[in-house]
Amino acid sequence: MGVDVIVCGLGPAGRAVAHRALAAGRNVTVIDPRPDRVWTPTYAAWADELPTWLDSGAVAAVVDGPMAWAVREHRIDRAYQVFDTAALQSSLTLHGATVIADRAVEVTTRSVRTADGLIRTGQVVDARGLARSPRRAEQTAYGVVVDRTGHEPTLFMDWRLDNGADPTDPPSFLYAIPLSADTVLFEETCLAGRPALAPAVLRRRLEHRLRVRGISLTGTEPVERVRFPVQGGTPGRGRFGAAGGLTHPATGYSVAAALAAADTVVAGGTVWTPRARAVSALRRAGLRALLALPASEVPVFFETFFGLPARLQHAYLSGLDDLGGTVAAMRALFADLPPNLRRTVVASVIGGARR
């Protein structure tokens, strides 16, 4: 069966590529064991990361200037958008695609073999995501959805130590965002760990934190559990999304990058220019440094980061190929860190490079 594009995996990355390939007039086949699976995670992005073709109805809430707490409070001077997950999924329509409910067992740049046979194509996009592995750092989170009062701040990261954890324990932060006009998500998050904090630990910390802040839970609130690798993706060989290295090691975000890169992939181009590969290597080094920090010093690290000029924060958090901005951000961060953290960063980066 000859097709123009075959997409393996129908998460946000795969569905975005399939949707844009159809919009470009390509013949598309998609393969996924559960093509009708309903997405449940909460997705968000900085507004300036998103492509203009994205349906505005996929956005549930917009926050101008979310807050971050490290040692002190910081306002992030960027608009932050929270997706309506169901609307995002339905907006990435697959009308006209051939949908195969099957598992891809062998994928190359030119062909896909499934349990039912072999399908050949001129272009293969492997967006099946990443399998969990003890060798990979993961992000974990436990969240609850509660009724919104209208007074909740939007917190991109809140590292304050009111979650009941000992300062020497592996750290976690509070993520608090509106999901709609009526609801808000409070989520205790382990940014990256090898191993990452277990959901039960995060649940205890979240409940303690909310109780301290005077927020009562009934025990019947909808729950969100998060667990995914923040490292391990490898560019090339048709891989895309998390599998292709689009997950940002410092935040775990990948959806906006996949949406923005979909048209390039459909056109047969690559987002992995030499500059982009260099940026990715620098961010992976940043993750190694973060994993090496003593728990009590993590808020100090982010206090320094959120004290950087907005343009440098933007360069490090967004974009795939801003090499100059990424280098400038990392240089400024390193210069502003306390001497003991500089030594830790240097040791982790050099040690990781030698392995």
Side-chain angles (χ1 to χ4, degrees):
M1 179 172 58
V3 295
D4 287 340
V5 179
I6 184 166
V7 178
C8 301
L10 281 178
R15 196 171 178 110
V17 169
H19 175 73
R20 295 306 293 168
L22 290 163
R26 307 284 292 276
N27 294 320
V28 177
T29 292
V30 295
I31 301 175
D32 190 283
R34 299 170 56 201
D36 296 324
R37 175 178 59 90
V38 176
W39 300 346
T40 57
T42 300
Y43 300 119
W46 302 107
D48 53 35
E49 295 178 319
L50 299 175
T52 57
W53 57 259
L54 186 67
D55 186 347
S56 61
V59 176
V62 179
V63 180
D64 292 319
M67 307 305 296
W69 266 95
V71 177
R72 292 180 292 273
E73 186 180 36
H74 300 266
R75 182 180 183 274
I76 303 174
D77 190 21
R78 295 177 73 184
Y80 191 69
Q81 295 190 344
V82 182
F83 290 112
D84 178 325
T85 301
L88 174 64
Q89 184 174 14
S90 63
S91 73
L92 300 174
T93 57
L94 298 178
H95 303 315
T98 299
V99 180
I100 298 176
D102 202 350
R103 185 170 59 92
V105 295
E106 183 178 348
V107 178
T108 73
T109 58
R110 301 289 298 178
S111 64
V112 178
R113 183 169 63 86
T114 72
D116 291 333
L118 183 67
I119 300 177
R120 300 185 186 276
T121 181
Q123 182 181 4
V124 174
V125 179
D126 184 358
R128 292 176 295 170
L130 285 172
R132 291 181 55 196
S133 167
R135 297 187 301 274
R136 293 173 177 161
E138 292 184 317
Q139 183 172 124
T140 53
Y142 180 92
V144 294
V145 179
V146 302
D147 291 338
R148 190 174 178 184
T149 67
H151 300 292
E152 300 89 355
T154 298
L155 296 166
F156 179 65
M157 285 182 176
D158 185 349
W159 293 99
R160 283 177 287 182
L161 295 175
D162 60 351
N163 61 3
D166 188 277
T168 61
D169 289 338
S172 58
F173 66 90
L174 178 66
Y175 177 63
I177 56 167
L179 298 183
S180 68
D182 304 316
T183 57
V184 62
L185 171 69
F186 291 113
E187 197 159 78
E188 193 75 14
T189 303
C190 171
L191 181 60
R194 195 190 304 116
L197 290 170
V201 174
L202 294 169
R203 177 179 180 175
R204 288 195 298 270
R205 291 187 182 186
L206 178 65
E207 291 173 348
H208 187 281
R209 194 191 294 270
L210 295 183
R211 186 165 58 249
V212 167
R213 299 190 185 190
I215 300 171
S216 300
L217 300 178
T218 65
T220 61
E221 292 83 6
V223 169
E224 176 173 274
R225 295 176 178 85
V226 175
R227 183 167 222 137
F228 62 89
V230 292
Q231 62 180 177
T234 307
R237 298 189 62 80
R239 289 180 290 260
F240 186 64
L246 286 184
T247 299
H248 196 303
T251 62
Y253 286 23
S254 65
V255 172
L259 293 170
D263 281 344
T264 299
V265 171
V266 169
T270 179
V271 298
W272 292 108
T273 63
R275 288 196 310 276
R277 290 177 181 272
V279 167
S280 179
L282 289 171
R283 289 174 175 169
R284 292 195 302 272
L287 175 60
R288 293 196 299 272
L290 183 62
L291 291 170
L293 290 176
S296 60
E297 300 293 350
V298 170
V300 178
F301 180 89
F302 281 99
E303 178 68 23
T304 308
F305 178 80
F306 288 116
L308 295 177
R311 62 181 176 81
L312 296 182
Q313 293 182 41
H314 184 287
Y316 193 77
L317 292 176
S318 299
L320 289 174
D321 63 356
D322 184 0
L323 181 57
T326 301
V327 169
M330 296 181 77
R331 181 183 293 126
L333 177 65
F334 184 79
D336 290 347
L337 286 173
N340 63 314
L341 292 193
R342 290 187 205 170
R343 290 190 292 270
T344 300
V345 168
V346 170
S348 64
V349 171
I350 292 177
R354 288 175 176 170
R355 286 198 294 269

